[in-house]
Amino acid sequence: MAEQPQREQWGSRLGFLMAAIGSAIGLGNIWRFPAVTYEHGGGAFLVPYLLALLTAGIPLLILEYTIGRKYRSSPPGALRQLARPAEAIGWWQVAICFVVATYYAAILAWAIRYTGFSFTQAWGDDPEGFLNNEFLNLNETPGEVSTFVPGVAWPLIAVWVLTLVILGLGIRRGIERANIVFIPLLVAFFLVLVVRALTLDGASLGLDALFSPDWGKLTDGGVWVAAYGQIFFSLSVGFGIMITYASYLHRKSDLTGSAMVAAFANSSFEILAGVAVFATLGFMAMDAGVGVSQVSSSGVGLAFVAFPAIISEMPMGAFFGVLFFVSLVIAGLTSLISIVQVIVAAVQDRTGLRRVPAVLSVGGAVSVVSVLLFANDSGLYFLDVSDRFINQYGIALAGLVLLITVSWGLRLLPALQRNADATSSIGLGVWWRICLGVITPVVLTWMMVDSLIGELDENYEGYSTSFLLWGGWSVAVGALLVGVLLTLLSRRGSRPRSSERGSETERTH
């Protein structure tokens, strides 16, 4: 690793918390949590969800905060100081962030365009046809590229320019200040959305559908897997973001208290999003004279098909639509910033580049790939399979490997616990080591096996096997291989820094 200039630090604990919360609150909170809750027992789902938060979410946050603050480096550098082979996990996480950043920005570009579409309700009477045919110009054959889509390209370029400007300003002047503005603004917008949704006819129908408990679901193992999966994917753990953000903390920062604040803030926003989404779906169901199950959806279908249809029917639809899509942009932007920061920090730590050159080099590479892959007529297909496979077999698997390495291979949980306890307001007990050493690895392994069985039973979304191989599996496996390759390249001609030699001495005593 190259010699580094003095590392930046957050200006305040509030600034760090806002950035951590901004990273956690993303598109998944708005369009994934409500659907997962509805499909897995409604109000009863909150029981495994809360247990997953306490046994996996918060312990994982504390672990990543501790590693980042203690070793004061991006994932490759921090994990290298744990053990040299562990550096490969860090570069794997950097490669995962590269993949996620390319398609995450594309969704924000769509949301920007739909903010404008909301004023005139440009989607007309057929939101799905408008999305696929007029806006995305979707090719009938998944993976086949025949035309460029300027209507996606220019807002995508705008997203990247804004993201890179914020990152170029640095930790305090850029990321911290942006999140201190964006997060309160996001909460304010969503509170307005909730109030508006609750005043719609049929809102109670939607809330009953969301929160009415089906206690029998608690005996279904798939419900528990879904709860842990939601916590894992919504808290930005597993792909190096929180290690990176924590590396800019003061050495005496409170870790456990910060993790709990960030985790509960994220979960509170998820519930708020659930109320807004299902109260609105209740209106749509009543207006159409059908059940909520017939209008509920998630992901792209919820944001860009179901909600436009609702906006066309509801009073003050344009106002509601603008607020909703602007909220999507803000939530996604704070997450995108954190994802790209992982790559920037890794490049800085490895090369010694100053911030602006590092941001420009990283941003140039990621944005070019992003525009080439997702501003064409197969962009939606690429996004769908990339997101599926990098989440299931990238983020979750990297998190599992990290946990096994730290808890079982290196047996470092007691030492990391002492480090966290030394400056934290809430001490960690044996529960923390049990959660990270036993409960979470077992659940993540179960998730992997369950997901693989599903992949082998039938092709995801009916895509052809060839498309899934090169558009999905190759992305997930490629991220791992790139991580290994970057590890080999980073070691060539490099010598351990003094901090690494010190950590090795610490482990031997």
Side-chain angles (χ1 to χ4, degrees):
M1 295 286 178
E3 289 297 324
Q4 302 301 316
Q6 185 176 359
R7 197 168 191 81
E8 291 183 86
Q9 290 188 339
W10 299 104
S12 64
R13 186 188 182 202
L14 175 64
F16 166 70
L17 282 173
M18 286 295 180
I21 292 169
S23 175
I25 293 177
L27 301 175
N29 298 67
I30 298 171
W31 71 26
R32 188 175 190 272
F33 172 79
V36 170
T37 302
Y38 175 65
E39 293 168 8
H40 294 91
F45 178 76
L46 297 179
V47 174
Y49 175 84
L50 181 60
L51 288 174
L53 177 66
L54 296 175
T55 60
I58 293 175
L60 276 166
L61 275 181
I62 295 171
L63 175 66
E64 295 201 354
Y65 285 178
T66 306
I67 292 173
R69 188 193 65 173
K70 179 177 174 62
Y71 298 109
R72 308 192 70 74
S73 185
S74 59
L79 297 180
R80 176 181 177 137
Q81 293 177 69
L82 289 178
R84 283 179 63 87
E87 181 185 356
I89 303 172
W91 285 114
W92 183 12
Q93 292 177 328
V94 171
I96 289 169
C97 285
F98 189 101
V99 173
V100 174
T102 60
Y103 69 76
Y104 210 88
I107 301 173
L108 301 191
W110 300 355
I112 289 174
R113 291 298 311 277
Y114 268 72
T115 302
F117 294 154
S118 295
F119 286 103
T120 61
Q121 297 172 16
W123 46 76
D125 297 328
D126 184 13
E128 185 172 9
F130 175 82
L131 172 68
N132 293 334
N133 302 323
E134 296 181 48
F135 178 51
L136 296 179
N137 199 11
L138 197 62
N139 199 310
E140 292 183 1
T141 305
E144 183 178 295
V145 177
S146 60
T147 186
F148 187 67
V149 184
V152 174
W154 69 258
L156 182 52
I157 292 170
V159 167
W160 279 115
V161 170
L162 178 58
T163 300
L164 299 183
V165 167
I166 292 171
L167 286 168
L169 290 172
I171 298 301
R172 287 193 187 189
R173 294 190 303 127
I175 299 175
E176 183 171 337
R177 287 183 180 178
N179 278 282
I180 285 176
V181 173
F182 285 150
I183 298 307
L185 194 62
L186 175 62
V187 172
F189 281 0
F190 238 83
L191 286 174
V192 175
L193 284 173
V194 168
V195 171
R196 180 70 189 103
L198 290 176
T199 60
L200 293 171
D201 293 335
S204 59
L205 184 67
L207 295 182
D208 285 343
L210 177 62
F211 290 116
S212 294
D214 181 358
W215 299 111
K217 289 279 191 179
L218 296 183
T219 60
D220 181 355
V223 171
W224 292 82
V225 169
Y228 277 86
Q230 177 62 29
I231 287 294
F232 194 82
F233 296 132
S234 72
L235 280 179
S236 293
V237 291
F239 53 127
I241 293 175
M242 292 309 169
I243 292 177
T244 303
Y245 269 11
S247 72
Y248 303 106
L249 282 170
H250 296 278
R251 291 195 179 276
K252 294 186 178 180
S253 300
D254 182 342
L255 298 184
T256 57
S258 296
M260 290 186 180
V261 170
F264 282 111
N266 174 72
S267 294
S268 298
F269 187 85
E270 287 194 317
I271 293 174
L272 189 69
V275 170
V277 167
F278 266 81
T280 310
L281 290 176
F283 163 79
M284 184 179 183
M286 176 172 283
D287 186 68
V290 298
V292 174
S293 62
Q294 293 177 260
V295 297
S296 65
S297 58
S298 63
V300 171
L302 173 68
F304 300 104
V305 176
F307 263 79
I310 295 168
I311 291 164
S312 295
E313 299 296 329
M314 70 187 298
M316 298 175 61
F319 172 75
F320 186 92
V322 169
L323 275 186
F324 177 76
F325 288 111
V326 168
S327 296
L328 277 186
V329 173
I330 295 174
L333 183 61
T334 56
S335 295
L336 179 63
I337 289 168
S338 70
I339 294 166
V340 180
Q341 173 57 28
V342 176
I343 316 171
V344 171
V347 169
Q348 282 191 280
D349 290 345
R350 176 64 187 89
T351 65
L353 279 175
R354 301 195 71 82
R355 183 160 196 89
V356 172
V359 169
L360 291 176
S361 61
V362 166
V366 183
S367 59
V368 167
V369 173
S370 181
V371 172
L372 289 176
L373 282 179
F374 301 106
N376 62 65
D377 58 348
S378 267
L380 177 59
Y381 300 128
F382 292 142
L383 190 154
D384 190 24
V385 295
S386 296
D387 179 61
R388 165 72 177 187
F389 284 85
I390 204 67
N391 270 286
Q392 294 292 336
Y393 310 108
I395 297 173
L397 187 57
L400 174 61
V401 173
L402 174 62
L403 271 180
I404 292 174
T405 299
V406 172
S407 60
W408 298 358
L410 301 176
R411 300 179 183 274
L412 286 176
L413 288 182
L416 292 171
Q417 179 180 332
R418 289 192 295 272
N419 183 273
D421 283 345
T423 60
S424 295
S425 57
I426 304 171
L428 301 174
V430 68
W431 71 272
W432 186 72
R433 299 197 301 275
I434 292 174
C435 289
L436 293 179
V438 180
I439 297 175
T440 306
V442 168
V443 172
L444 285 176
T445 302
W446 186 7
M447 285 170 57
M448 291 293 103
V449 173
D450 183 67
S451 182
L452 279 170
I453 291 173
E455 304 291 351
L456 296 175
D457 280 346
E458 59 180 328
N459 283 3
Y460 172 64
E461 293 294 333
Y463 291 126
S464 68
T465 301
S466 61
F467 179 58
L468 291 179
L469 284 174
W470 70 263
W473 285 110
S474 65
V475 171
V477 175
L480 173 58
L481 295 178
V482 168
V484 173
L485 178 62
L486 288 174
T487 303
L488 297 175
L489 292 175
S490 72
R491 289 179 184 175
R492 183 170 297 174
S494 68
R495 298 179 62 186
R497 290 178 293 170
S498 58
S499 60
E500 294 177 39
R501 291 194 294 268
S503 66
E504 289 168 2
T505 303
E506 178 183 310
R507 288 197 302 271
T508 60
H509 288 78

